[in-house]
Amino acid sequence: QVQLVESGGGLVQPGGSLRLSCAASGRIFRINAMGWYRQAPGKERELVAAFTRGGSTNYADSVKGRFTISADNAKNTVYLQMNNLKPEDTDVYYCNADLRTTAWETSKDYWGQGTQVTVSS
């Protein structure tokens, strides 16, 4: 099976920084895309930053210039460097991977368990 394990969340003051990591493991044939989403209670999950299938990156307008997504393909790991954090960035952050477990199966979405990011003074 596939597992996405996130780490790096926590409590930080406004203006501070955090770095999230997400490592995919298990039966993986090919990762098509990986990224980060976030969700506040009572709200829909929204894209934060992601690598697309074509290899480009997408960012939510609210994080452009502050957050940077990167990846270590050899380790099936994606990172999210978050700088100049604001209270409105407080959410549970989820890692997502669009991947295939075998050559003959279609790709599907997998999700991590989520990591809490709290920005507060």
Side-chain angles (χ1 to χ4, degrees), residues 36-38 43 46-49 58-68 80-91 93:
W36 292 93
Y37 291 71
R38 64 188 181 188
K43 293 188 177 181
E46 62 178 13
L47 171 72
V48 179
N58 280 338
Y59 290 93
D61 288 342
S62 59
V63 307
K64 285 180 180 177
R66 300 188 297 122
F67 291 10
T68 302
L80 185 66
Q81 178 65 44
M82 305 186 293
N83 298 329
N84 190 21
L85 282 159
K86 304 176 181 180
E88 51 264 41
D89 294 318
T90 297
D91 266 326
Y93 285 68

mmCIF file of all heavy atoms in Angstrom, residues 36-38 43 46-49 58-68 80-91 93:
data_model
loop_
_atom_site.group_PDB
_atom_site.id
_atom_site.type_symbol
_atom_site.label_atom_id
_atom_site.label_comp_id
_atom_site.label_asym_id
_atom_site.label_seq_id
_atom_site.Cartn_x
_atom_site.Cartn_y
_atom_site.Cartn_z
ATOM 1 N N TRP A 36 0.507 20.230 -1.834
ATOM 2 C CA TRP A 36 0.003 20.537 -0.503
ATOM 3 C C TRP A 36 -1.337 21.237 -0.605
ATOM 4 O O TRP A 36 -1.519 22.139 -1.428
ATOM 5 C CB TRP A 36 0.996 21.430 0.234
ATOM 6 C CG TRP A 36 2.279 20.748 0.570
ATOM 7 C CD1 TRP A 36 3.422 20.745 -0.162
ATOM 8 C CD2 TRP A 36 2.530 19.953 1.727
ATOM 9 N NE1 TRP A 36 4.383 19.997 0.462
ATOM 10 C CE2 TRP A 36 3.866 19.497 1.629
ATOM 11 C CE3 TRP A 36 1.786 19.578 2.838
ATOM 12 C CZ2 TRP A 36 4.445 18.688 2.600
ATOM 13 C CZ3 TRP A 36 2.366 18.786 3.806
ATOM 14 C CH2 TRP A 36 3.682 18.353 3.685
ATOM 15 N N TYR A 37 -2.235 20.831 0.270
ATOM 16 C CA TYR A 37 -3.531 21.454 0.406
ATOM 17 C C TYR A 37 -3.727 21.803 1.872
ATOM 18 O O TYR A 37 -3.015 21.303 2.730
ATOM 19 C CB TYR A 37 -4.638 20.495 -0.055
ATOM 20 C CG TYR A 37 -4.632 20.230 -1.549
ATOM 21 C CD1 TYR A 37 -3.634 19.471 -2.143
ATOM 22 C CD2 TYR A 37 -5.629 20.756 -2.370
ATOM 23 C CE1 TYR A 37 -3.624 19.244 -3.515
ATOM 24 C CE2 TYR A 37 -5.635 20.522 -3.733
ATOM 25 C CZ TYR A 37 -4.631 19.769 -4.295
ATOM 26 O OH TYR A 37 -4.624 19.555 -5.651
ATOM 27 N N ARG A 38 -4.694 22.647 2.141
ATOM 28 C CA ARG A 38 -5.009 22.961 3.525
ATOM 29 C C ARG A 38 -6.509 23.077 3.699
ATOM 30 O O ARG A 38 -7.251 23.342 2.750
ATOM 31 C CB ARG A 38 -4.309 24.236 3.982
ATOM 32 C CG ARG A 38 -4.721 25.509 3.272
ATOM 33 C CD ARG A 38 -3.813 26.664 3.696
ATOM 34 N NE ARG A 38 -4.190 27.923 3.049
ATOM 35 C CZ ARG A 38 -3.460 29.045 3.141
ATOM 36 N NH1 ARG A 38 -2.339 29.064 3.852
ATOM 37 N NH2 ARG A 38 -3.869 30.135 2.528
ATOM 38 N N LYS A 43 -14.610 24.307 6.273
ATOM 39 C CA LYS A 43 -14.319 24.827 4.939
ATOM 40 C C LYS A 43 -13.822 23.702 4.038
ATOM 41 O O LYS A 43 -13.406 22.651 4.502
ATOM 42 C CB LYS A 43 -13.270 25.933 5.009
ATOM 43 C CG LYS A 43 -13.742 27.186 5.717
ATOM 44 C CD LYS A 43 -12.719 28.300 5.581
ATOM 45 C CE LYS A 43 -13.218 29.585 6.217
ATOM 46 N NZ LYS A 43 -12.236 30.689 6.065
ATOM 47 N N GLU A 46 -8.363 23.308 0.135
ATOM 48 C CA GLU A 46 -7.932 24.150 -0.957
ATOM 49 C C GLU A 46 -6.468 23.919 -1.278
ATOM 50 O O GLU A 46 -5.668 23.571 -0.408
ATOM 51 C CB GLU A 46 -8.142 25.638 -0.623
ATOM 52 C CG GLU A 46 -7.346 26.129 0.571
ATOM 53 C CD GLU A 46 -7.544 27.619 0.828
ATOM 54 O OE1 GLU A 46 -8.460 28.222 0.251
ATOM 55 O OE2 GLU A 46 -6.745 28.178 1.608
ATOM 56 N N LEU A 47 -6.137 24.157 -2.540
ATOM 57 C CA LEU A 47 -4.760 24.015 -2.983
ATOM 58 C C LEU A 47 -3.893 25.089 -2.351
ATOM 59 O O LEU A 47 -4.265 26.269 -2.302
ATOM 60 C CB LEU A 47 -4.692 24.145 -4.503
ATOM 61 C CG LEU A 47 -3.292 24.232 -5.103
ATOM 62 C CD1 LEU A 47 -2.595 22.879 -5.034
ATOM 63 C CD2 LEU A 47 -3.361 24.729 -6.551
ATOM 64 N N VAL A 48 -2.721 24.684 -1.876
ATOM 65 C CA VAL A 48 -1.710 25.639 -1.427
ATOM 66 C C VAL A 48 -0.626 25.751 -2.489
ATOM 67 O O VAL A 48 -0.336 26.833 -2.995
ATOM 68 C CB VAL A 48 -1.091 25.206 -0.087
ATOM 69 C CG1 VAL A 48 -0.016 26.204 0.335
ATOM 70 C CG2 VAL A 48 -2.161 25.089 0.986
ATOM 71 N N ALA A 49 -0.007 24.632 -2.811
ATOM 72 C CA ALA A 49 1.052 24.593 -3.819
ATOM 73 C C ALA A 49 1.190 23.165 -4.301
ATOM 74 O O ALA A 49 1.057 22.229 -3.508
ATOM 75 C CB ALA A 49 2.374 25.102 -3.247
ATOM 76 N N ASN A 58 1.964 25.173 -9.260
ATOM 77 C CA ASN A 58 0.807 26.024 -9.028
ATOM 78 C C ASN A 58 0.822 26.476 -7.580
ATOM 79 O O ASN A 58 1.081 25.676 -6.681
ATOM 80 C CB ASN A 58 -0.495 25.269 -9.290
ATOM 81 C CG ASN A 58 -0.835 25.188 -10.765
ATOM 82 O OD1 ASN A 58 -0.369 25.983 -11.568
ATOM 83 N ND2 ASN A 58 -1.666 24.228 -11.125
ATOM 84 N N TYR A 59 0.510 27.737 -7.365
ATOM 85 C CA TYR A 59 0.418 28.285 -6.018
ATOM 86 C C TYR A 59 -0.915 29.011 -5.860
ATOM 87 O O TYR A 59 -1.403 29.650 -6.793
ATOM 88 C CB TYR A 59 1.537 29.296 -5.747
ATOM 89 C CG TYR A 59 2.911 28.712 -5.620
ATOM 90 C CD1 TYR A 59 3.755 28.626 -6.733
ATOM 91 C CD2 TYR A 59 3.390 28.262 -4.392
ATOM 92 C CE1 TYR A 59 5.026 28.094 -6.618
ATOM 93 C CE2 TYR A 59 4.669 27.733 -4.259
ATOM 94 C CZ TYR A 59 5.481 27.647 -5.382
ATOM 95 O OH TYR A 59 6.746 27.129 -5.261
ATOM 96 N N ALA A 60 -1.457 28.916 -4.667
ATOM 97 C CA ALA A 60 -2.603 29.758 -4.344
ATOM 98 C C ALA A 60 -2.144 31.213 -4.334
ATOM 99 O O ALA A 60 -1.017 31.511 -3.912
ATOM 100 C CB ALA A 60 -3.173 29.371 -2.984
ATOM 101 N N ASP A 61 -2.994 32.107 -4.774
ATOM 102 C CA ASP A 61 -2.617 33.525 -4.811
ATOM 103 C C ASP A 61 -2.205 34.037 -3.431
ATOM 104 O O ASP A 61 -1.310 34.874 -3.316
ATOM 105 C CB ASP A 61 -3.787 34.365 -5.341
ATOM 106 C CG ASP A 61 -4.018 34.170 -6.831
ATOM 107 O OD1 ASP A 61 -3.108 33.679 -7.523
ATOM 108 O OD2 ASP A 61 -5.125 34.503 -7.295
ATOM 109 N N SER A 62 -2.824 33.515 -2.400
ATOM 110 C CA SER A 62 -2.572 34.010 -1.051
ATOM 111 C C SER A 62 -1.183 33.644 -0.527
ATOM 112 O O SER A 62 -0.738 34.223 0.467
ATOM 113 C CB SER A 62 -3.631 33.464 -0.092
ATOM 114 O OG SER A 62 -3.616 32.053 -0.082
ATOM 115 N N VAL A 63 -0.497 32.697 -1.179
ATOM 116 C CA VAL A 63 0.816 32.280 -0.673
ATOM 117 C C VAL A 63 1.946 32.610 -1.636
ATOM 118 O O VAL A 63 3.123 32.389 -1.304
ATOM 119 C CB VAL A 63 0.834 30.772 -0.347
ATOM 120 C CG1 VAL A 63 -0.311 30.414 0.588
ATOM 121 C CG2 VAL A 63 0.813 29.921 -1.613
ATOM 122 N N LYS A 64 1.623 33.132 -2.796
ATOM 123 C CA LYS A 64 2.663 33.456 -3.781
ATOM 124 C C LYS A 64 3.655 34.451 -3.191
ATOM 125 O O LYS A 64 3.262 35.443 -2.571
ATOM 126 C CB LYS A 64 2.034 34.018 -5.053
ATOM 127 C CG LYS A 64 1.356 32.974 -5.920
ATOM 128 C CD LYS A 64 0.756 33.591 -7.175
ATOM 129 C CE LYS A 64 0.077 32.532 -8.030
ATOM 130 N NZ LYS A 64 -0.586 33.112 -9.228
ATOM 131 N N GLY A 65 4.926 34.165 -3.384
ATOM 132 C CA GLY A 65 5.978 35.029 -2.862
ATOM 133 C C GLY A 65 6.383 34.711 -1.441
ATOM 134 O O GLY A 65 7.389 35.228 -0.947
ATOM 135 N N ARG A 66 5.592 33.868 -0.762
ATOM 136 C CA ARG A 66 5.906 33.509 0.626
ATOM 137 C C ARG A 66 6.219 32.020 0.784
ATOM 138 O O ARG A 66 7.044 31.630 1.599
ATOM 139 C CB ARG A 66 4.741 33.864 1.545
ATOM 140 C CG ARG A 66 4.379 35.334 1.541
ATOM 141 C CD ARG A 66 3.336 35.655 2.622
ATOM 142 N NE ARG A 66 2.071 34.964 2.395
ATOM 143 C CZ ARG A 66 1.508 34.132 3.261
ATOM 144 N NH1 ARG A 66 2.090 33.886 4.428
ATOM 145 N NH2 ARG A 66 0.341 33.548 2.983
ATOM 146 N N PHE A 67 5.533 31.183 0.020
ATOM 147 C CA PHE A 67 5.702 29.735 0.113
ATOM 148 C C PHE A 67 6.426 29.234 -1.132
ATOM 149 O O PHE A 67 6.226 29.740 -2.239
ATOM 150 C CB PHE A 67 4.350 29.020 0.193
ATOM 151 C CG PHE A 67 3.586 29.238 1.467
ATOM 152 C CD1 PHE A 67 3.972 30.188 2.405
ATOM 153 C CD2 PHE A 67 2.450 28.490 1.730
ATOM 154 C CE1 PHE A 67 3.247 30.388 3.574
ATOM 155 C CE2 PHE A 67 1.722 28.663 2.895
ATOM 156 C CZ PHE A 67 2.116 29.630 3.808
ATOM 157 N N THR A 68 7.248 28.197 -0.931
ATOM 158 C CA THR A 68 7.956 27.574 -2.049
ATOM 159 C C THR A 68 7.854 26.059 -1.936
ATOM 160 O O THR A 68 8.185 25.497 -0.881
ATOM 161 C CB THR A 68 9.431 27.980 -2.069
ATOM 162 O OG1 THR A 68 9.543 29.406 -2.145
ATOM 163 C CG2 THR A 68 10.142 27.373 -3.273
ATOM 164 N N LEU A 80 7.465 21.943 1.579
ATOM 165 C CA LEU A 80 6.810 23.244 1.487
ATOM 166 C C LEU A 80 7.497 24.183 2.469
ATOM 167 O O LEU A 80 7.346 24.038 3.678
ATOM 168 C CB LEU A 80 5.316 23.155 1.795
ATOM 169 C CG LEU A 80 4.540 24.443 1.593
ATOM 170 C CD1 LEU A 80 4.503 24.837 0.116
ATOM 171 C CD2 LEU A 80 3.119 24.329 2.147
ATOM 172 N N GLN A 81 8.274 25.115 1.933
ATOM 173 C CA GLN A 81 8.914 26.136 2.752
ATOM 174 C C GLN A 81 7.950 27.301 2.875
ATOM 175 O O GLN A 81 7.549 27.899 1.875
ATOM 176 C CB GLN A 81 10.217 26.601 2.106
ATOM 177 C CG GLN A 81 10.938 27.697 2.871
ATOM 178 C CD GLN A 81 11.424 27.240 4.229
ATOM 179 O OE1 GLN A 81 11.981 26.144 4.365
ATOM 180 N NE2 GLN A 81 11.226 28.069 5.238
ATOM 181 N N MET A 82 7.576 27.602 4.096
ATOM 182 C CA MET A 82 6.598 28.660 4.348
ATOM 183 C C MET A 82 7.273 29.789 5.111
ATOM 184 O O MET A 82 7.718 29.578 6.256
ATOM 185 C CB MET A 82 5.419 28.096 5.151
ATOM 186 C CG MET A 82 4.764 26.889 4.489
ATOM 187 S SD MET A 82 3.282 26.330 5.358
ATOM 188 C CE MET A 82 4.005 25.733 6.871
ATOM 189 N N ASN A 83 7.381 30.941 4.497
ATOM 190 C CA ASN A 83 7.997 32.117 5.104
ATOM 191 C C ASN A 83 6.962 33.212 5.323
ATOM 192 O O ASN A 83 5.894 33.211 4.689
ATOM 193 C CB ASN A 83 9.115 32.644 4.207
ATOM 194 C CG ASN A 83 10.238 31.649 4.022
ATOM 195 O OD1 ASN A 83 10.534 30.850 4.912
ATOM 196 N ND2 ASN A 83 10.877 31.690 2.870
ATOM 197 N N ASN A 84 7.303 34.137 6.195
ATOM 198 C CA ASN A 84 6.412 35.260 6.484
ATOM 199 C C ASN A 84 4.989 34.772 6.763
ATOM 200 O O ASN A 84 4.015 35.278 6.183
ATOM 201 C CB ASN A 84 6.418 36.254 5.325
ATOM 202 C CG ASN A 84 5.720 37.556 5.662
ATOM 203 O OD1 ASN A 84 5.560 37.902 6.829
ATOM 204 N ND2 ASN A 84 5.276 38.263 4.645
ATOM 205 N N LEU A 85 4.875 33.819 7.649
ATOM 206 C CA LEU A 85 3.582 33.227 7.946
ATOM 207 C C LEU A 85 2.651 34.234 8.595
ATOM 208 O O LEU A 85 3.080 35.101 9.378
ATOM 209 C CB LEU A 85 3.749 32.000 8.828
ATOM 210 C CG LEU A 85 4.218 30.751 8.074
ATOM 211 C CD1 LEU A 85 4.849 29.748 9.018
ATOM 212 C CD2 LEU A 85 3.048 30.124 7.338
ATOM 213 N N LYS A 86 1.364 34.097 8.271
ATOM 214 C CA LYS A 86 0.331 34.983 8.777
ATOM 215 C C LYS A 86 -0.700 34.167 9.557
ATOM 216 O O LYS A 86 -0.852 32.964 9.299
ATOM 217 C CB LYS A 86 -0.353 35.700 7.619
ATOM 218 C CG LYS A 86 0.593 36.482 6.723
ATOM 219 C CD LYS A 86 -0.153 37.087 5.540
ATOM 220 C CE LYS A 86 0.800 37.853 4.628
ATOM 221 N NZ LYS A 86 0.093 38.456 3.469
ATOM 222 N N PRO A 87 -1.424 34.795 10.462
ATOM 223 C CA PRO A 87 -2.456 34.053 11.212
ATOM 224 C C PRO A 87 -3.451 33.339 10.291
ATOM 225 O O PRO A 87 -3.920 32.242 10.629
ATOM 226 C CB PRO A 87 -3.134 35.143 12.042
ATOM 227 C CG PRO A 87 -2.058 36.157 12.255
ATOM 228 C CD PRO A 87 -1.260 36.168 10.978
ATOM 229 N N GLU A 88 -3.745 33.925 9.151
ATOM 230 C CA GLU A 88 -4.692 33.291 8.231
ATOM 231 C C GLU A 88 -4.133 32.046 7.540
ATOM 232 O O GLU A 88 -4.865 31.354 6.830
ATOM 233 C CB GLU A 88 -5.188 34.290 7.172
ATOM 234 C CG GLU A 88 -4.093 35.027 6.445
ATOM 235 C CD GLU A 88 -3.816 36.399 7.050
ATOM 236 O OE1 GLU A 88 -3.797 36.519 8.301
ATOM 237 O OE2 GLU A 88 -3.611 37.353 6.261
ATOM 238 N N ASP A 89 -2.854 31.757 7.748
ATOM 239 C CA ASP A 89 -2.281 30.512 7.238
ATOM 240 C C ASP A 89 -2.553 29.345 8.185
ATOM 241 O O ASP A 89 -2.224 28.196 7.855
ATOM 242 C CB ASP A 89 -0.766 30.653 7.050
ATOM 243 C CG ASP A 89 -0.395 31.649 5.967
ATOM 244 O OD1 ASP A 89 -1.056 31.643 4.912
ATOM 245 O OD2 ASP A 89 0.540 32.434 6.192
ATOM 246 N N THR A 90 -3.130 29.621 9.329
ATOM 247 C CA THR A 90 -3.452 28.571 10.296
ATOM 248 C C THR A 90 -4.462 27.598 9.711
ATOM 249 O O THR A 90 -5.568 27.992 9.313
ATOM 250 C CB THR A 90 -4.011 29.179 11.587
ATOM 251 O OG1 THR A 90 -3.004 29.992 12.195
ATOM 252 C CG2 THR A 90 -4.443 28.088 12.556
ATOM 253 N N ASP A 91 -4.079 26.340 9.632
ATOM 254 C CA ASP A 91 -4.912 25.307 9.022
ATOM 255 C C ASP A 91 -4.263 23.952 9.277
ATOM 256 O O ASP A 91 -3.109 23.878 9.746
ATOM 257 C CB ASP A 91 -5.014 25.494 7.503
ATOM 258 C CG ASP A 91 -6.229 26.300 7.086
ATOM 259 O OD1 ASP A 91 -7.268 26.184 7.752
ATOM 260 O OD2 ASP A 91 -6.117 27.040 6.077
ATOM 261 N N TYR A 93 -2.622 21.107 7.176
ATOM 262 C CA TYR A 93 -2.032 20.978 5.857
ATOM 263 C C TYR A 93 -1.926 19.497 5.485
ATOM 264 O O TYR A 93 -1.424 18.688 6.266
ATOM 265 C CB TYR A 93 -0.650 21.634 5.828
ATOM 266 C CG TYR A 93 -0.732 23.141 5.797
ATOM 267 C CD1 TYR A 93 -1.217 23.854 6.896
ATOM 268 C CD2 TYR A 93 -0.372 23.862 4.664
ATOM 269 C CE1 TYR A 93 -1.331 25.234 6.865
ATOM 270 C CE2 TYR A 93 -0.470 25.247 4.626
ATOM 271 C CZ TYR A 93 -0.952 25.922 5.722
ATOM 272 O OH TYR A 93 -1.060 27.293 5.690
#
